[in-house]
Amino acid sequence: MDALDVGTDFYHRLANRDERQGDGRHNAVEFRKKYLKGLDDPAAWENDDVYIVLDFSNVKKLGPSFANEAFAYFTRYSKNKSLVKKKINFINISKVKEETIDVELESGYKR
């Protein structure tokens, strides 16, 4: 599967949870619905062939609220952080951004 260049194809600053946060543009809900909708189905979590690769090489900022809404949202299907990160494979990601995602996955989805 080809990787999605998140910073180029979506936006380089991932900070807004939804349309009510910040300027409301390029938000996590929009990202999740556009790129991760295939994972928003219980059957996808039973099928090893369903996953996405996200290339973070062009992402300059990742905020916790974006990470929670876009990625921790999927803890509704699995509380196992490793499985979520297998379904959403992050490449070329800094340690700080990866830690932000890990913290949100461990704490679970908060809406």
Side-chain angles (χ1 to χ4, degrees), residues 5-19:
D5 182 340
V6 176
T8 301
D9 292 343
F10 185 70
Y11 198 60
H12 66 277
R13 185 178 174 277
L14 308 178
N16 297 332
R17 173 181 284 277
D18 55 30
E19 68 282 347

Side-chain angles (χ1 to χ4, degrees), residues 30-78:
E30 174 188 346
F31 179 84
R32 190 182 72 231
K33 288 179 179 178
K34 184 172 183 178
Y35 298 108
L36 304 176
K37 67 181 173 187
L39 296 175
D40 202 3
D41 177 354
W45 293 82
E46 302 298 323
N47 184 343
D48 289 340
D49 294 331
V50 178
Y51 64 94
I52 188 164
V53 179
L54 301 178
D55 184 343
F56 266 55
S57 58
N58 292 309
V59 172
K60 305 297 181 211
K61 177 181 180 171
L62 173 65
S65 61
F66 186 100
N68 188 270
E69 187 67 45
F71 309 123
Y73 171 88
F74 293 102
T75 59
R76 67 187 338 155
Y77 298 110
S78 177

Side-chain angles (χ1 to χ4, degrees), residues 92-102:
N92 301 317
I93 188 169
S94 72
K95 293 289 183 194
V96 172
K97 290 179 187 79
E98 186 169 23
E99 181 64 25
T100 299
I101 292 168
D102 287 345

